[in-house]
Amino acid sequence: MGGGDTDFRYDVGAMATHAQRDLVKRHVSEAVSAGATVLAGGKPTGTGTFFEPTVLVESTTR
């Protein structure tokens, strides 16, 4: 997967802050702990505040 702020093949931007990126990372981790499966993405990538576009299946709501 590509990415980064100089890779213009993709139309996905970074989170605005490191705190937002960390929150998304925590949400994905909690979903996986609750039984979800990551089909794609699921982790920070590149530098700064980028997070891979993520697809989860078998997730539940609280």
Side-chain angles (χ1 to χ4, degrees):
M1 173 176 277
D5 57 359
T6 60
D7 189 342
F8 299 107
R9 296 176 297 162
Y10 301 91
D11 191 17
V12 176
M15 303 286 158
T17 68
H18 288 282
Q20 287 177 332
R21 184 209 52 209
D22 294 343
L23 179 62
V24 171
K25 183 178 177 181
R26 188 168 67 242
H27 285 316
V28 171
S29 178
E30 290 172 356
V32 169
S33 292
T37 300
V38 177
L39 290 184
K43 61 186 183 290
T45 185
T47 59
T49 59
F50 286 89
F51 198 91
E52 294 177 338
T54 303
V55 177
L56 299 170
V57 295
E58 302 298 324
S59 62
T60 60
T61 59
R62 295 191 235 181

